Amino acid sequence: MATRSFRLSVTQRILLVVAILAVALFGYWVTSRGAGATPTAAPTSSTSSGAPVPVDAADAAKQLGELTIAARTSMDGYSREKFPHWASQGSSCDTREVVLKRDGVDVKTDKECRATSGTWKSVYDDETWTKPTDLDIDHMVPLGQAWASGAKAWTTEKRGQFANDLTRPQLFAVTDNLNQQKSDKAPDQWKPPLVAFWCTYATDWIVVKHYYGLTVTQGEKTALTDMLRRC
């Protein structure tokens, strides 16, 4: 009986070559990943100093659009004591001392974690200070402002979290008299004198209010929108 020869068609040959190349490329890819490909770094939410990184203006604008617009409620019943602040952060340090060390340069502390020397640049006015007593730790969204925009209904525990939040952009070492000038005012009532900081001020304010589900007034939203245009 004659032997029947087996021959591939042109199409079958092409498909076979493609399959072989695909297998070879896959093997190379697997090998290169295991042998030294550098993995993509995970996004970070803080700077090398530990301070929160401002969000993108577009993301902040989206979050601003998600906030509930409502009139500020009365300040009746408010007191700073209802926001337990400067909580212990371990190693004999409280929240204020952690922020002073985080925001300063060459900060020296005593055995009780109190800053004794260092250099600080206030983000609100770009002024440089070398005495810790020249600085206040400012709440980006002030405690009274939070009370009037939703925190009145919170538990004391949640108000304490808000007042000591080192994760969100809520706490900054700033020139003391500016912190006093700002008081409990919203951006439609007070803005930092350093115009170059307005973009970050707006994005930080929005991030904090959005995370905690606080409301904004229409005037406040308009002021924040105008500040975002500087980004």
Side-chain angles (χ1 to χ4, degrees), residues 72-91:
R72 293 186 187 107
T73 63
S74 167
M75 293 290 286
D76 289 350
Y78 167 73
S79 74
R80 290 178 64 84
E81 286 68 34
K82 292 185 178 180
F83 291 78
H85 52 289
W86 307 164
S88 173
Q89 298 295 335
S91 302

Side-chain angles (χ1 to χ4, degrees), residues 36-220:
T38 302
T40 303
T44 179
S45 61
S46 63
T47 63
S48 58
S49 66
V53 172
V55 303
D56 179 84
D59 291 336
K62 181 177 181 296
Q63 290 184 24
L64 178 59
E66 295 169 351
L67 295 180
T68 300
I69 298 176
R72 293 186 187 107
T73 63
S74 167
M75 293 290 286
D76 289 350
Y78 167 73
S79 74
R80 290 178 64 84
E81 286 68 34
K82 292 185 178 180
F83 291 78
H85 52 289
W86 307 164
S88 173
Q89 298 295 335
S91 302
S92 301
C93 301
D94 64 23
T95 306
R96 171 187 165 82
E97 291 152 353
V98 168
V99 176
L100 280 173
K101 188 171 183 179
R102 182 198 72 189
D103 290 358
V105 176
D106 296 329
V107 178
K108 301 293 189 298
T109 59
D110 62 18
K111 62 182 181 180
E112 295 180 351
C113 197
R114 293 174 299 197
T116 56
S117 64
T119 302
W120 292 267
K121 180 168 284 191
S122 168
V123 292
Y124 286 175
D125 54 2
D126 209 32
E127 292 291 335
T128 299
W129 305 100
T130 56
K131 294 180 180 179
T133 53
D134 288 328
L135 297 142
D136 281 350
I137 304 305
D138 177 60
H139 290 92
M140 171 56 66
V141 176
L143 305 183
Q145 167 63 213
W147 178 268
S149 57
K152 182 177 183 179
W154 293 352
T155 63
T156 300
E157 181 182 7
K158 185 172 180 179
R159 287 195 290 264
Q161 176 193 351
F162 177 85
N164 296 277
D165 193 341
L166 293 165
T167 304
R168 262 60 56 182
Q170 168 68 340
L171 298 169
F172 297 88
V174 301
T175 304
D176 55 1
N177 67 323
L178 286 180
N179 181 50
Q180 295 154 24
Q181 187 186 96
K182 174 185 174 183
S183 186
D184 293 315
K185 300 180 181 71
D188 55 322
Q189 303 165 316
W190 186 89
K191 297 179 181 65
L194 183 63
V195 176
F197 188 67
W198 283 10
C199 170
T200 302
Y201 191 80
T203 60
D204 287 354
W205 183 282
I206 292 165
V207 166
V208 173
K209 280 219 160 180
H210 186 271
Y211 180 82
Y212 285 97
L214 296 170
T215 62
V216 292
T217 66
Q218 185 58 59
E220 181 183 349

Side-chain angles (χ1 to χ4, degrees), residues 7-59:
R7 301 183 64 181
L8 296 175
S9 68
V10 173
T11 301
Q12 289 172 323
R13 291 177 184 176
I14 293 173
L15 291 174
L16 181 60
V17 170
V18 169
I20 292 171
L21 288 173
V23 171
L25 287 172
F26 179 77
Y28 175 79
W29 178 75
V30 171
T31 302
S32 65
R33 279 176 61 87
T38 302
T40 303
T44 179
S45 61
S46 63
T47 63
S48 58
S49 66
V53 172
V55 303
D56 179 84
D59 291 336

